[in-house]
Amino acid sequence: MSNPNTSDRIELMQTFIRIVESGSLSAAAAQLGTTQPTISRRLQTLEQRLGLKLILRTTHALKLTDDGERCYAQARQLLATWHALEDELTGASDDPVGTLRVRAPHAFGQDQLIAPLVDYLRRYPRLNIEWMLNDRTPDFMAENIDCAIQVGAPTDPSVVAILLAEVPRIVVASPGLLARHPPIEQVEQLRDLPWLALTSFYRNEVALQKIDDGQPVNLAITPRLSSDSLYAVRKAALAGMGAAIVSSWVVQQDLAEGRLVQLTPQWQAPPLPIWLTYPWASYYPARLQHFFTMIKAVMPQLAGTRPATAARRQAEPEE
């Protein structure tokens, strides 16, 4: 075994940052693809080299010492400077290298975004991407995520948020369900139907807007089935279990082939904004900068999305 005192200084700093941001030695080991004893040895080596105690370990948590707090801030800046130098010297600005960790929503992440992602990877053969599908808001630091594509408005004011596009949403139901109820002629009649709820965006009330003048209407519903999966809600709608508000792209073919019917087409749910979010940093590696450029260009052109409205763009936070 090599002497831990010969460990690379940059590696020691990266390990220390991962320990702090992930919250534990075991989480840092998992994210760095190594073992907890290795992480512990690296931390001991760094503390020995600096002659300082950086982290106090208790049975339940890690706590940074005052020296640890200063070391963490300096280490992040040092790593940013190192990555900038590395990119410049290796030509990574033109040919990104390394691994990019991206969080994307389930539906978009396994459908429309795969083709542009594959094109992007083919363009840059030295780049790898960890493509993690999850609809919840990520904890960028603790989960070691570089950036995220989020549907719906970001709630964390500390992250950078770029508005990419928006997704139109419509009310649909199966012909079988509609045959069991009086014809829907007024928007208020929608409340008389059985409903399905997509819990990420609505639960016990649906909000609609009139297309021509933006007039709003809110209708109370009691869902027969609630799910956080767009695909599950679509399947239940196809089975005649209830009406639902869904992203129009996911039911395009169902509508064309008559398996679903759009209800009150003059009333639609407000479109969902799609955001690119990432933590602020003094330097972004080339692999991240190139991904930002690609996703900004691709997202408004995808099937089922459209460029964000002027009102939404004006509300976009500045970088």
Side-chain angles (χ1 to χ4, degrees):
M1 182 187 301
S2 61
N3 185 339
N5 288 325
T6 64
S7 296
D8 176 82
R9 287 174 172 81
I10 295 296
E11 182 182 63
L12 296 181
M13 290 295 184
Q14 286 174 325
T15 299
F16 176 61
I17 290 170
R18 276 294 88 227
I19 294 170
V20 174
E21 294 181 352
S22 68
S24 71
L25 300 186
S26 57
Q31 292 178 5
L32 292 172
T34 186
T35 64
Q36 184 171 333
T38 298
I39 296 297
S40 182
R41 282 196 300 271
R42 289 179 190 170
L43 175 60
Q44 290 171 6
T45 299
L46 181 62
E47 290 179 328
Q48 289 167 5
R49 285 189 174 180
L50 296 175
L52 300 169
K53 189 67 176 174
L54 302 176
I55 292 178
L56 299 175
R57 280 183 268 183
T58 69
T59 53
H60 299 296
L62 300 178
K63 179 176 172 54
L64 284 174
T65 64
D66 290 344
D67 289 327
E69 293 276 7
R70 287 193 294 272
C71 182
Y72 172 67
Q74 292 290 335
R76 281 183 58 84
Q77 186 59 50
L78 175 66
L79 262 292
T81 303
W82 170 256
H83 288 314
L85 174 64
E86 191 176 42
D87 279 353
E88 182 180 346
L89 295 180
T90 62
S93 55
D94 299 318
D95 184 17
V97 299
T99 298
L100 188 62
R101 293 173 54 84
V102 183
R103 170 76 64 77
H106 265 116
F108 264 110
Q110 61 186 299
D111 263 301
Q112 291 97 316
L113 284 173
I114 292 299
L117 193 66
V118 169
D119 288 343
Y120 184 67
L121 285 167
R122 284 176 177 154
R123 198 182 321 154
Y124 301 117
R126 296 198 295 161
L127 180 69
N128 304 310
I129 294 181
E130 290 189 28
W131 190 244
M132 294 161 283
L133 303 185
N134 195 309
D135 293 315
R136 66 177 173 78
T137 301
D139 185 333
F140 289 100
M141 297 301 182
E143 298 175 64
N144 193 24
I145 293 170
D146 293 310
C147 67
I149 298 160
Q150 293 180 233
V151 177
T155 55
D156 185 349
S158 69
V159 302
V160 180
I162 308 296
L163 185 59
L164 298 173
E166 64 185 23
V167 180
R169 295 188 296 158
I170 61 176
V171 184
V172 298
S174 72
L177 175 76
L178 296 176
R180 301 193 296 271
H181 292 81
I184 303 295
E185 296 172 350
Q186 301 294 327
V187 68
E188 290 78 13
Q189 290 177 274
L190 290 174
R191 65 164 65 94
D192 300 327
L193 295 175
W195 270 85
L196 309 168
L198 182 58
T199 55
S200 310
F201 304 110
Y202 69 95
R203 293 173 182 266
N204 301 308
E205 182 180 71
V206 296
L208 302 174
Q209 290 179 339
K210 201 168 186 180
I211 291 178
D212 54 9
D213 61 8
Q215 175 189 344
V217 63
N218 287 22
L219 305 173
I221 61 169
T222 303
R224 294 292 315 284
L225 173 70
S226 301
S227 174
D228 61 357
S229 166
L230 178 60
Y231 289 128
V233 168
R234 170 185 167 267
K235 284 276 193 181
L238 286 168
M241 181 59 64
I245 293 176
V246 296
S247 302
S248 56
W249 66 267
V250 82
V251 294
Q252 217 164 17
Q253 194 166 351
D254 299 321
L255 294 171
E257 297 178 4
R259 292 189 294 269
L260 290 174
V261 176
Q262 182 178 356
L263 305 182
T264 60
Q266 68 275 29
W267 293 83
Q268 294 187 5
L272 292 175
I274 305 175
W275 298 83
L276 170 67
T277 60
Y278 49 91
W280 185 89
S282 58
Y283 176 76
Y284 298 104
R287 59 182 174 273
L288 202 49
Q289 295 181 40
H290 283 253
F291 182 82
F292 292 165
T293 300
M294 181 273 287
I295 207 70
K296 288 178 189 177
V298 160
M299 187 60 77
Q301 313 301 324
L302 292 179
T305 71
R306 65 190 184 200
T309 62
R312 287 189 185 277
R313 287 197 298 273
Q314 289 169 6
E316 178 185 331
E318 296 181 4
E319 286 187 56

